[in-house]
Amino acid sequence: MSKFDTAFQQQVAAHYLRNDNVIQAVGELIKPDFFDSEALAVIVAVQGFYLRKYNAAPSPRTFIQILQKAHARKLVKVADMQEVRQELGELYRDSL
């Protein structure tokens, strides 16, 4: 259990997912196990993979494709993919 509330964790994930300045500044410091939500942890894990490979934020469409491939290959373990999709939608709608 994190000492940070859910709203803060969602903000961190949203910035890590979409904000190139944050990605460049803290890139490898954000880890999936920092998040209480399994959905946020999966999103951060997939973003971390993309970041290590391309050093940038993926487009929403690219992110979804990577997430689907990782899930199909069982590289991402998640009980509820629908929860991940809902969380991802919220992160992309966030005003940052």
Side-chain angles (χ1 to χ4, degrees):
M1 186 83 184
S2 173
K3 62 182 174 180
F4 298 107
D5 68 1
T6 302
F8 179 78
Q9 290 180 35
Q10 288 172 323
Q11 280 294 301
V12 170
H15 281 279
Y16 185 64
L17 183 63
R18 299 174 38 211
N19 187 328
D20 282 327
N21 292 330
V22 170
I23 291 169
Q24 297 301 320
V26 298
E28 293 295 319
L29 299 176
I30 304 294
K31 304 291 182 203
D33 56 336
F34 293 170
F35 298 86
D36 294 332
S37 161
E38 181 183 16
L40 286 177
V42 166
I43 291 167
V44 167
V46 171
Q47 171 63 4
F49 164 78
Y50 192 89
L51 174 62
R52 287 186 294 281
K53 190 166 185 172
Y54 300 105
N55 203 31
S59 70
R61 184 179 185 142
T62 300
F63 188 90
I64 291 169
Q65 290 172 344
I66 294 167
L67 177 63
Q68 290 171 336
K69 287 179 184 178
H71 184 64
R73 293 182 187 152
K74 300 193 187 314
L75 298 174
V76 173
K77 296 177 185 171
V78 62
D80 187 2
M81 238 357 227
Q82 184 61 31
E83 183 182 339
V84 174
R85 288 186 185 106
Q86 288 174 343
E87 191 71 60
L88 190 59
E90 289 179 32
L91 296 180
Y92 275 115
R93 284 190 298 273
D94 191 294
S95 65
L96 298 182

